[in-house]
């Protein structure tokens, strides 16, 4: 891993942890209250509004990238852990790495799993659950596909 990537990873992780704390949320709420209370002092001017708009836009823009970075790393780590569990268990090793398949290939696998789970539910006499139908295409998507 390059020095820049390693530094960015440490920075993104630290910022994500720090900004996820309740006191940071409370501090941001306090800043908004202070800003709103200062409105009469500045006559609710365009500049007064621009301060909050610009600052929140910049913070949001930067946070999107930091959150995406941490989500990608968490997701990759989770896939690696699941792949290892699949590898060492009696599960089908063909499931390792399916997150990299094209959408259509993945949808075929999901449809097959939905069919199998429906058959297992019928055999056990259980009713379908919401999660079993979650991955199925909506009627509008079926027509367009």
């Amino acid at each position: 891993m390059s020095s820049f990537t390693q530094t960015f990873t440490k920075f993104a992780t630290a910022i994500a942890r720090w900004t996820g704390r309740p006191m940071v949320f409370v501090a941001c709420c306090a800043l908004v209250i202070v800003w709103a209370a200062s409105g009469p002092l500045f006559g609710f001017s365009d500049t007064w509004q621009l301060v909050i708009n610009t600052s929140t836009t910049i913070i949001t823009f930067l946070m999107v990238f930091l959150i995406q970075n941490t989500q990608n790393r968490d997701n990759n780590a989770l896939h690696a852990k699941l792949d290892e569990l699949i590898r060492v268990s009696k599960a089908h090793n063909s499931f390792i790495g399916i997150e990299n398949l094209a959408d259509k290939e993945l949808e075929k696998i999901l449809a097959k799993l939905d069919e199998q789970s429906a058959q297992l539910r019928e055999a056990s006499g259980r009713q379908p659950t919401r999660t079993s139908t979650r991955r199925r295409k909506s009627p509008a998507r079926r027509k367009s596909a």
Side-chain angles (χ1 to χ4, degrees):
M1 187 183 308
S2 74
S3 176
F4 175 76
T5 303
Q6 198 169 17
T7 302
F8 180 77
T9 298
K10 288 179 182 177
F11 174 76
T13 301
I15 295 296
R17 283 191 183 134
W18 182 76
T19 57
R21 293 185 178 170
M23 285 310 297
V24 174
F25 177 77
V26 170
C28 289
C29 289
L31 282 172
V32 170
I33 291 169
V34 168
W35 169 81
S38 71
L41 181 66
F42 293 101
F44 299 101
S45 68
D46 289 343
T47 303
W48 172 79
Q49 290 179 23
L50 193 60
V51 167
I52 197 74
N53 289 340
T54 303
S55 56
T56 56
T57 300
I58 291 169
I59 290 168
T60 302
F61 178 75
L62 295 174
M63 286 304 295
V64 164
F65 295 103
L66 290 177
I67 292 168
Q68 187 63 52
N69 176 269
T70 56
Q71 285 291 325
N72 288 346
R73 282 187 290 108
D74 288 347
N75 196 30
N76 288 338
L78 182 62
H79 280 290
K81 291 172 185 179
L82 289 172
D83 287 349
E84 179 63 9
L85 288 173
I86 292 169
R87 190 184 65 76
V88 299
S89 71
K90 293 181 181 179
H92 294 287
N93 286 342
S94 61
F95 283 100
I96 294 175
I98 65 170
E99 68 274 7
N100 299 316
L101 295 176
D103 286 344
K104 289 196 180 227
E105 292 174 275
L106 192 55
E107 285 175 9
K108 286 179 187 177
I109 292 170
L110 294 173
K112 185 176 178 182
L113 290 172
D114 279 345
E115 288 175 23
Q116 290 172 349
S117 66
Q119 291 169 357
L120 290 171
R121 277 192 308 277
E122 287 174 12
S124 68
R126 291 186 9 215
Q127 295 295 318
T129 60
R130 293 180 73 199
T131 56
S132 66
T133 58
R134 177 180 61 199
R135 296 179 284 193
R136 292 188 181 144
K137 291 183 184 177
S138 66
R141 284 191 66 194
R142 278 190 210 124
K143 291 177 185 175
S144 65

